[in-house]
Structure formats: C-alpha cells, structure tokens
Amino acid sequence: MPEYKTRVFTTILKMFESFAGHQVRNVASIGGNIMAASSISDMNTILTAAGATVKVASTDMQVRSVPLDKTFFLGCRKTMLGPSDLLLSVHIPFTRQNEFFWGHKQDKTSDDRWSSNVKAAMRVVLEEGSNLVMEMAVSFAGLGPDVFIPLKIKQAVGRKWDECLVKDVNQLLQDDLDLNPDASATSVEYRRTLAYSLFFKFYLAVSTALQLKQPAPTLFTKVPVLGTQVYEEVPPGQSSDDAVGRALPHKSAPQHATGEAVYCDDMPLLEGEKYLALVTSSRTHARIISIDPSEALKMAGVRDFICHTDVPGCNNVGEEERVFAEEEVLYKGDVVGAVIADNKLRAQRAAKAIKIDYQDLPAVITIKVV
C-alpha cells in the first residue's frame, strides 16, 4: 500500500507507544475508547480529525453511519448514542496524495490538570501545485471538559498555506475556544496559546515536508534515549563488605522494577484527610492591603483558609524564607495563604476565589536598564 494512504494509521501506531501500559493496551478496544468519550482521549482526538465514521445499529436492527464529530461527542462521557444503540464498526479513511496528518501528545507534568496532558490531531489537504487549502480539520483533547473540535478552522479553506494563514488561524482558534476559567487549574490565556503553538508545529512540519518533498511530516521525531554506566573492576581479594568500586543496585531498585514501590497516589486516603491548595500572589511586588476569604469559605467542601496569622510561633523559615507572605509579596507566585477542602478540585477552585487587594510597588522585571 502506498505510504501516503497510511498517514493516519502511522499516527495511531505512534500514539500507541505512549498509550497507557501493556496491561491496558491488551484489554482496551477502539470501540470502547470511542463510547467512553473521555475528555482526554488519545484515540478520539485522532479519529475526529481524520474524519472517521462509525456504524451504529439500533434495537430495530436499522444500521446507520455516524460521523465522529462535534455532534457525536456531546461532552465528557457523553455521546449522541442512546442506551439501545450498538457500535458495530469504525471506518478510518485513507489519506490522499497531498493530504497531511499530524498528531501530538504533550506529556504530563507533576500537576494533575487537563492542560498538562494535551493531545492534538490535525489534517490538511492541499491543492496540487498551488498549496491552497482544500480541507482542514483540527481536534484537541485536554484543553477543557470535552474533546474540542474548532469549527471556525474551516474558514481556512481556499487560503494559501503560508505564514499569513498561521496568524489568521490563531485568531480563529481564540474565537472558537470557549473556555471556562474555572474548568482547569491553568489560565484560559495559557490554554489558548497552547492550542495555537500546536497548530504552529503542524504548520512547520507540513511546510518542511513540502520543501523537502517528503511523503509525510517528519520534523518532530523523538530520538530514543540511550545511556551507559561504567563500573570499576575491584581487586580479587577485596572484601565483600567493601562497597568501593562495586556495582551496587539502588536500595529501591527491586521495588521499582517489580512495581511494588508505593507512591503517594497509591496510598489510600486516611479518614478525615483533606486537601490543601496554595493561594499565591498575582503581583510581582506589592503591599497586601486586605485578604477576603469569605466567598471561598461559602463554597461546598471548603473547610478553612489559613495565612500568616494562623502560623503558631514564628512565620519565618530560616533567615530569609517565610511560610506565608505577611505585609508584602516579593514575586508573582509568592505564597499568601492556603485553602483546606474535601478534595483537590474544590481546594483549587476555592483558592482562586480568595480576594486579595494589593498596592503595587516598584518591581524589577527585566535585566535591561530602564
């Protein structure tokens, strides 16, 4: 089969390399992934951008073809199918000669947030010789509470594949990406910028493929990480109790290798255990005029708000560090207080609801002399 026909399937195979673990991959199915309608689904992001369809049968045995698009995925864990509908098959179309497909998965960070685990899939069909956009589809997962399929991106059809298009797509994505400020721990501005930067990567990959006349975008390929470790040879007469020069395994290596190591997320919650979320400064350098936690304390599951006045004894840690800021914040992100709630999401939402009045002070925000 020609390479150009298999570009979606190549993307799916690459996605499988970082999809869960072997155990999950061995029992998971594409149909189950679709019906689960997860807001951070790897597979659904690719299928929607690829223009895939599914065949669905009802109890009266009528079979219909349904496109996997915004009308199918109604929200997180919600699809248009009813309880009596049965998914029979999935149709993934072949890509054409001048059609490019690209998928990307952003790795998680230490924060458990949607935008730390973002997937994107993009497809464009260009007219032979002119590089005019004939078709374009984009899909994101992890930017909000459901799979995001920007519809205004279709306005790019008929435009030339160049830098001017990239700027206009940025505006189209911003207009189409309707994000709830409370839907994620990260800001709306950050998530919009992330969506645009992923499209820019797609643009660079396709443009490079066109310049080099390559069959598919290959600009962003992962290089396997290799490493070696060299040990000394100890003298034959060296005591077995002498560790110098010996290749000694790390004490926790057996637990990590066998999966028996216990991490914080593996530990069951203790009875009455609560979650703490920090309240941080939004100013670079400012005097704290007042702190009003009243709205946050009214929210469901919120137990308390603490600040420097609640610290028993000394608020200082060492000579320069503080537990909580007192009269001034010295940098953006300086810890002003903390909210205690029943779970992580409630604590984070309440932390955002804390109202702090500041009086801005002079701040050094650049190395340039001003």
Side-chain angles (χ1 to χ4, degrees):
M1 183 178 294
E3 178 279 335
Y4 69 83
K5 286 189 174 183
T6 64
R7 291 171 183 171
V8 173
F9 303 101
T10 301
T11 302
I12 292 175
L13 290 176
K14 290 182 179 178
M15 179 270 292
F16 281 152
E17 295 176 2
S18 58
F19 179 80
H22 291 292
Q23 297 90 341
V24 173
R25 288 199 294 269
N26 288 339
V27 299
S29 67
I30 294 179
N33 203 283
I34 293 172
M35 297 303 294
S38 170
S39 62
I40 56 172
S41 169
D42 304 63
M43 181 61 68
N44 292 343
T45 309
I46 294 175
L47 294 178
T48 51
T53 59
V54 293
K55 282 190 176 180
V56 178
S58 303
T59 51
D60 55 4
M61 298 309 296
Q62 290 187 354
V63 178
R64 63 189 190 277
S65 180
V66 181
L68 292 178
D69 56 17
K70 207 174 186 69
T71 62
F72 183 89
F73 295 105
L74 304 180
C76 184
R77 307 295 182 185
K78 296 179 181 179
T79 71
M80 64 174 291
L81 302 185
S84 60
D85 290 327
L86 178 66
L87 191 150
L88 298 178
S89 61
V90 183
H91 173 70
I92 304 174
F94 292 125
T95 43
R96 289 158 281 179
Q97 183 72 52
N98 222 34
E99 183 174 2
F100 298 95
F101 195 88
W102 180 82
H104 176 83
K105 180 176 181 179
Q106 178 171 306
D107 294 333
K108 282 187 176 182
T109 65
S110 57
D111 293 330
D112 184 16
R113 57 182 72 172
W114 283 322
S115 53
S116 296
N117 191 7
V118 173
K119 294 92 176 178
M122 305 181 188
R123 178 177 63 89
V124 65
V125 181
L126 302 177
E127 185 180 56
E128 186 69 33
S130 66
N131 286 346
L132 290 178
V133 177
M134 306 300 293
E135 295 180 26
M136 184 183 291
V138 176
S139 180
F140 296 96
L143 290 179
D146 52 14
V147 175
F148 169 54
I149 306 171
L151 300 180
K152 292 184 179 180
I153 202 75
K154 296 185 183 295
Q155 296 180 24
V157 173
R159 298 281 304 276
K160 192 166 185 179
W161 187 259
D162 55 18
E163 293 184 5
C164 293
L165 175 64
V166 176
K167 294 179 182 179
D168 292 342
V169 166
N170 179 28
Q171 187 60 49
L172 292 175
L173 288 174
Q174 291 194 35
D175 295 341
D176 221 358
L177 188 55
D178 184 18
L179 294 172
N180 182 353
D182 294 331
S184 173
T186 50
S187 68
V188 171
E189 181 182 357
Y190 169 79
R191 284 176 278 164
R192 283 178 174 162
T193 303
L194 178 60
Y196 168 64
S197 66
L198 291 175
F199 179 81
F200 185 61
K201 281 188 175 183
F202 175 55
Y203 167 77
L204 290 178
V206 173
S207 299
T208 301
L210 291 172
Q211 292 172 6
L212 300 178
K213 296 183 179 180
Q214 294 175 338
T218 57
L219 183 60
F220 303 100
T221 56
K222 292 185 178 180
V223 178
V225 178
L226 301 176
T228 58
Q229 193 167 7
V230 180
Y231 297 100
E232 300 176 2
E233 289 188 5
V234 299
Q238 182 172 325
S239 172
S240 59
D241 296 329
D242 187 352
V244 176
R246 294 187 182 278
L248 299 178
H250 193 279
K251 184 178 180 181
S252 62
Q255 287 77 20
H256 290 156
T258 59
E260 295 178 357
V262 178
Y263 295 88
C264 291
D265 287 345
D266 300 324
M267 300 177 183
L269 295 178
L270 299 176
E271 184 178 356
E273 184 173 325
K274 307 301 178 186
Y275 189 90
L276 182 143
L278 297 177
V279 179
T280 58
S281 167
S282 60
R283 305 299 177 87
T284 304
H285 184 205
R287 182 174 290 109
I288 299 175
I289 304 301
S290 64
I291 303 175
D292 181 10
S294 57
E295 292 299 321
L297 293 174
K298 295 177 183 178
M299 299 174 70
V302 177
R303 300 303 178 183
D304 201 359
F305 167 76
I306 58 175
C307 60
H308 68 92
T309 58
D310 300 296
V311 178
C314 183
N315 185 46
N316 294 335
V317 181
E319 297 182 359
E320 300 180 356
E321 298 294 328
R322 306 162 297 171
V323 178
F324 298 117
E326 298 182 20
E327 298 179 356
E328 290 184 11
V329 290
L330 304 179
Y331 54 90
K332 190 172 182 179
D334 200 355
V335 180
V336 178
V339 171
I340 296 94
D342 291 345
N343 59 47
K344 181 177 182 178
L345 185 59
R346 286 178 172 177
Q348 290 176 336
R349 287 178 174 174
K352 291 183 177 182
I354 302 294
K355 296 179 180 179
I356 306 176
D357 291 330
Y358 297 99
Q359 179 185 352
D360 288 328
L361 299 173
V364 177
I365 57 174
T366 176
I367 61 173
K368 295 182 180 180
V369 178
V370 295

